[in-house]
Amino acid sequence: MEIPETIKKKLTLPADEHFYAGHTACQGCGASLGLRYVLKAYGRKTIVTIPACCSTIIAGAWPYSTLDANLFHTAFETTGAVMGGIEAALKAMGYKVKGEDGIMVVGWAGDGGTADIGLQALSGFLERGHDAVYIMYDNEAYMNTGIQRSGSTPYGAWTTNTPGGKRHFLEKRHKKKVIDIVIAHEIPYAATASVAYPEDFIRKLKTAQKTPGPSFIQLFSPCPTGWRSPTDKSIEIARLAVQTAYFPLFEYKDGKYKINMPNPKKEPKPIEEFLKYQGRFKYMTKEDIEILQAWVNHEWEKLKKLAEVFG
Amino acid sequence: MEYKPIRKVVSGNYAAAYAVKDARVQVVAAYPITPQTSIIEKIAEFLANGEVENLQYVPVESEHSAMAATIGASATGARAFTATSAQGLALMHEMLHWAAGARLPIVMVDVNRAMAPPWSVWDDQTDSLAQRDTGWMQFYAENNQEVYDGVLMAFKIAETVNVPAMVVESAFILSHTYDVVEMIPQELVDEFLPPRKPLYTLTNFDNPISVGALATPADYYEFRYKLAKAHEKAKKVIKEVGKEFGEMFGRDYSQMIELYRTDDADFVFMGMGSLMGTVKQAVDILREEGYKVGAAKVRWFRPFPKEELYELAKNVQGIAVLDRNFSFGQEGILFTEAKGALYNTGAKPLMKNYIVGLGGRDFTVNDVRKIADNMKAVIEKGEIDVEVDWYHLKR
Ligand SMILES: Cc1ncc(C[n+]2csc(CCOP(=O)(O)OP(=O)(O)O)c2C)c(N)n1
Ligand code: SF4
C-alpha cells in the first residue's frame, strides 16, 4: 500500500517495508518486530544471515520467505563466521560493503546462538574486523527448542530446564553480559537497544551502518510464549526493562560510553515493575527479588561510572 | 597457446597452494593444523608478495568457522577454498553437510592424518572417509602432481554440478615430500577453468532469495534426490573433465579408477592415494618375477565408480583391497564399498581386505610382494583365509 505523503512526513520510522505479513512468529513476538526494524533501516540491499533459532521459523518455510532481502540460513553456532565469509566474498568480487550506499551484511541471531554456542564465532568475527553488523536479539532463553535457559537468562527465571517447583530449581546465575564481552574486543561500535524504543534502535542501526568495521547491537526482544506474559504486554515489558535499568540503553563508540535512557533524570523504577506481567518470575521469593535488584543496581552504577569516566 | 609446463619442485602442500593461486580463488578461510598448515602459509605468502590479486584471506578461529566462512563466501558467489586435516575435518563435519546441502561448489584439500587418541600426525584415511555421507565428492591423489591437477579439476567439476569436492593427499608422504610438479601457465588454466558462474548468489538485490530455509516433509525428500542426482551426473562430468584435462595438458583423468597392467591380470591390488604409487612399482617388479598382477587405483571415492569396478571385477579372479583406514565393528571402508557395489552384478572375484599403513606405518614394495603371495595362495585354494587381514600386526 502506498503511504500518503502527509502521513509519511509524520512518521518517525522509515516507511519502507521489507518484512512482510504472513510470517509465523507468535503473537506479540519482539524478535519479529526487531527484524522488521532492521530491514526498515537497511532496506533491500542487505544480506541477512540467520542461524538456528526462532527466526529460522519466523522467516518462513521453503519456498517462501517473509524477508524482502537476501537471506542465508546457517548452522546454530556459525553466524559470525558466515558473515565474515560473505563480507570477504563481496570485497573479493568488488562490491562496496557497509556505509551509506554499500551492501549491508547483517547477522541476526538469538541469545543462545550468540552468548553460548556462537560466542567463539562472534569473537572471531569481532576481532578480525569485518565490515558487518551483528544483532543479537535477546529473548533470554532458547525459545525455538522450547524455553530452555541460555547464558543470557536472568537470575530467578523459570525455564523448562530450570523449572522452579518444590526444590526451587530456578536459574541461579545472573545474565551473562555479552555486551561487555563484545566491548572487550574494542570494536568501533556496540550498543544496546529495545523493541520498545524503535527510533533509538533505528538510529543505532544507522550509526552501525556508517561506522566502518564490525558493529554489535544487543536488542531486548520480549517473548510472550517463553516469558509467560500476555501477548499485548510485550512493548510495555520491554519499556519497563529499560525504566528499571534492568536492560539500560547505551552506546559504546570509539572507546566512549554514552547512556541513552528515555528519561535521563529519573531514578530507575524498582525491579518488581519489570517482573510483574511475567509468569517466568512467579517462583521468585522475596530474597530472590532482592538478589536480582542488587545485581541490577550494581550493573547500573557500573555503567554510570563508565559513562562518567569514559564518556 | 601451446602448452609448455612450468616445472617446479614442490611439496604436495605447495602443489595445492599453487593450484589455488592458478584457479584464481577469491576467498580462502583457514585454520592451521599439522600437516595441512603449509598450504595456508604458502597462500598467505602469495598474498604478502603480491602474487595474487582479489584474494580475501580470512584467518578464522576454528575449522568449524573456516568451513562456515567458506560457505558464506561461496553462497555469495565467490570461488572459495579451505584446507584441513583429521581433528579439523572432524570439527567441520556439521558444516560439510551444510555446504553440500546448499549446493556450494567449495573445494577443500584434506591432508589425511590419523585421528586421535593416541595422537598421531601421520597418514591414515579414516578422517576423510568418515565424511563419506556428507554429500561431498572425494578425489584421492597419488602424488604431488595429482594434488595440483586434482584441485584444478575439482573446481571445474564442482562448479558444473554444484557439489563441493575434497582433494585428499597423504600426510607427509605427499604433504611434505618434494617432487617435480608440472604446473600450467595461467592463461591455459584460465581457459580450462573460466570464472565461476554461480547457481545462485546473495547479491541479486532486485530479486532477493532465501537459501537453506526450513523444508517440510512435503519437500525435504526432493532436495535429497536432487543431490543424489547431482552425484550421478558428476560421474559423467568427472570423466569429461578428466578427458579434457588430458587433451589439454597430457595427463588423462578420464577414468575414475586408474587401471595399471590389469588386462591379463589374475588378481589386482586395489586402493587409494599415495600407497598406490608403491603398489604400481611393486606390480612392475612382480610382473618380472612372473606374477600376473595389476593395480586399480580408485581416484574418486565419491561418487563411487561402481560401473568401472564391475568392468574390472568381471575379468579378474581376485581383488586384494588395501585399506589405510578402518571402520570399527566392520572392516576397511573401501573393502565394504567395493563388495557392496558388486553384490548385484554377477561379478564375484575373491575379495580380501588388507589393513595397511594405519597412522603412518611404512608400506613398502616388499609388503606388496607378501600380500601377493598370500593372495595367490587364496586364489589357488579358491577360498579366503581371513577376510580382514591386519597385515602389519606385531605378533
Ligand atoms: C549444533 C546445534 N545444537 C542444537 C541445536 C538445536 N537448537 C536449535 S535453535 C536452538 C535454540 C535457539 O535459541 P536462541 O539462539 O536463544 O534463539 P531463539 O530460539 O530464542 O530465538 C537450539 C538449541 C542446533 N540447531 N544445532
Ligand atoms: S517463541 Fe517467542 S521468540 Fe519465538 S516466535 Fe514465539 S514469541 Fe517470538
Side-chain angles (χ1 to χ4, degrees), chain A residues 61-84:
Chain A
W62 189 87
Y64 305 106
S65 173
T66 54
L67 274 70
D68 179 28
N70 288 289
L71 167 57
F72 192 77
H73 289 271
T74 188
F76 196 17
E77 62 282 41
T78 60
T79 312
V82 171
M83 292 165 73

Side-chain angles (χ1 to χ4, degrees), chain B residues 7-201:
Chain B
R7 288 194 179 83
K8 282 197 171 84
V9 179
V10 290
S11 66
N13 279 356
Y14 283 6
Y18 275 102
V20 167
K21 171 170 157 303
D22 293 348
R24 296 189 189 276
V25 168
Q26 291 162 297
V27 176
V28 172
Y31 193 77
I33 181 170
T34 306
Q36 164 269 141
T37 315
S38 53
I39 299 179
I40 59 162
E41 285 174 348
K42 189 72 184 168
I43 294 170
E45 206 179 292
F46 290 147
L47 261 172
N49 295 338
E51 289 175 69
V52 283
E53 284 160 35
N54 297 329
L55 177 92
Q56 292 283 323
Y57 186 91
V58 191
V60 282
E61 78 294 338
S62 78
E63 286 87 354
H64 197 281
S65 284
M67 187 41 65
T70 310
I71 284 168
S74 188
T76 308
R79 185 170 283 162
F81 175 87
T82 187
T84 193
S85 290
Q87 316 298 128
L89 187 62
L91 186 61
M92 280 181 185
H93 176 76
E94 179 194 21
M95 300 318 289
L96 297 192
H97 283 280
W98 217 279
R103 304 297 300 274
L104 298 170
I106 294 163
V107 171
M108 158 161 69
V109 168
D110 176 57
V111 186
N112 271 149
R113 165 182 162 179
M115 295 298 298
W119 281 116
S120 162
V121 293
W122 293 277
D123 194 16
D124 192 306
Q125 298 165 334
T126 311
D127 63 343
S128 53
L129 290 171
Q131 309 306 323
R132 185 188 68 173
D133 304 331
T134 55
W136 281 60
M137 298 187 283
Q138 293 196 359
F139 174 88
Y140 285 78
E142 179 195 320
N143 50 40
N144 296 357
Q145 184 69 57
E146 290 195 357
V147 173
Y148 177 84
D149 296 349
V151 169
L152 295 180
M153 284 188 287
F155 270 114
K156 182 150 176 154
I157 295 158
E159 289 172 13
T160 309
V161 294
N162 296 297
V163 174
M166 207 182 281
V167 174
V168 185
E169 58 160 320
S170 319
F172 300 106
I173 296 167
L174 300 189
S175 69
H176 286 66
T177 305
Y178 282 68
D179 201 353
V180 178
V181 171
E182 294 197 347
M183 299 189 189
I184 302 164
Q186 186 69 59
E187 302 90 279
L188 286 178
V189 176
D190 292 346
E191 198 178 300
F192 173 74
L193 183 67
R196 179 182 165 204
K197 289 199 197 76
L199 178 66
Y200 64 84
T201 72

